């Protein structure tokens, strides 16, 4: 039996359509539209694509976009000053610093300068603290997107064994906390985990978030497991063409798993949708 595809692309469109309706209702009442500011530094091609997608998505749902592009040699002080201005700008509800940054910049230092209530990426220590305490707040976009996918497809989490491969602050750690919040039994595995296949093969829900192309192979997956692939890796095919693949060997695992996310079209589109949702939540908190 072939696994059912968890279609993040169509779910992201559904969320954006709902946001579009909600925002147009706010504007019809004479209120301003929500605003998102994305700060990009340098000319990383992948980052440029992500920022363009975010700008298009803003436009689609009726959100104002306040993107700012800085040269690669921009200083920490320049960026901190830009964030301070955006913190004070009443039109801006969400602020995001597009990663990766050039090596001379301190990304954590910049993140700490963003007001927690404008932290569209949900990565400020204040918002991560709320997640640990199971309090309402802005959630990290990619893990929140994974949770929305599981919810949309009515995948039962309570009591299930969930293994998250990857321990980053962007995905692995917050996602483990979100799954724990839904009463899963959590294991976080990583590059130092011995006998990784034994650990992953025990998972009812397996999440791969390590950034290594197709590292999760068929022998590492329990039959009928739910497999969530957070990785997006560009590889070169035998013909010399570029191709996007995840952290999971999709072709081999789709015949073992009960549900699987594709790459592209799985978790990726949900990250942008949750970014817009976070910005709208910030806007509502200010305009209630």
């Amino acid at each position: 039996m072939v696994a059912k595809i968890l279609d993040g692309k169509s779910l992201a469109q559904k969320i954006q359509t709902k946001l579009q309706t909600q925002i147009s209702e706010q504007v019809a009442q004479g209120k301003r539209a929500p605003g998102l500011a994305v700060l990009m530094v340098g000319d990383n091609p992948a980052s440029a694509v992500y920022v363009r997608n975010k700008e298009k998505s803003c436009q689609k749902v009726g959100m104002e976009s306040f993107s700012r592009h800085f040269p690669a040699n921009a200083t920490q002080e320049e960026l901190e000053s830009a964030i301070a201005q955006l913190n004070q700008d009443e039109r801006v509800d969400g602020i995001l610093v597009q990663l990766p940054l050039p090596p001379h910049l301190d990304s954590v230092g910049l993140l700490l300068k963003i007001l927690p209530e404008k932290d569209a990426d949900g990565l400020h220590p204040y918002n991560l603290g709320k997640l640990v305490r199971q309090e309402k707040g802005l959630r990290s976009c990619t893990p929140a997107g994974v949770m929305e996918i599981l919810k949309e497809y009515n995948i039962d989490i309570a009591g299930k064994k969930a293994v998250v491969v990857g321990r980053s602050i962007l995905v692995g750690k917050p996602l483990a906390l979100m799954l724990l919040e839904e009463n899963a039994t959590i294991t976080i595995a990583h590059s130092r985990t011995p006998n990784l296949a034994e650990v992953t093969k025990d998972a009812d829900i397996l999440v791969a978030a390590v950034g290594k192309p197709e590292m999760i192979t068929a022998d590492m997956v329990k039959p009928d497991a739910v497999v969530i692939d957070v990785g997006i890796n560009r590889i070169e095919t035998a013909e010399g063409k570029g191709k996007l693949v995840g952290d999971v060997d999709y072709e081999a695992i789709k015949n073992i798993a009960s549900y699987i996310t594709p790459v592209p079209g799985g978790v990726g589109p949900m990250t942008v949708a949750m970014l817009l949702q976070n910005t709208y939540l910030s806007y509502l908190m200010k305009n209630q």
Side-chain angles (χ1 to χ4, degrees), residues 5 23 30-31 53 64 66 106 111 114 117 125 155 167 180 186 190 220 252 262 281 285 288:
I5 288 174
I23 290 167
K31 297 175 185 173
N53 285 344
E64 295 282 341
F66 297 95
D106 171 17
L111 180 66
I114 297 171
E117 60 270 26
I155 291 167
R167 53 181 165 178
L180 189 61
I186 302 296
H190 45 79
M220 299 170 77
L281 286 174
M285 284 191 269
Q288 275 173 349

Side-chain angles (χ1 to χ4, degrees), residues 131 143 146-147 164 171-180 186 207 230:
L131 172 59
V146 170
M147 298 305 289
V164 179
V171 182
K173 286 174 184 169
L175 181 53
L177 288 164
M178 289 177 199
L179 288 163
L180 189 61
I186 302 296
V207 182
V230 181

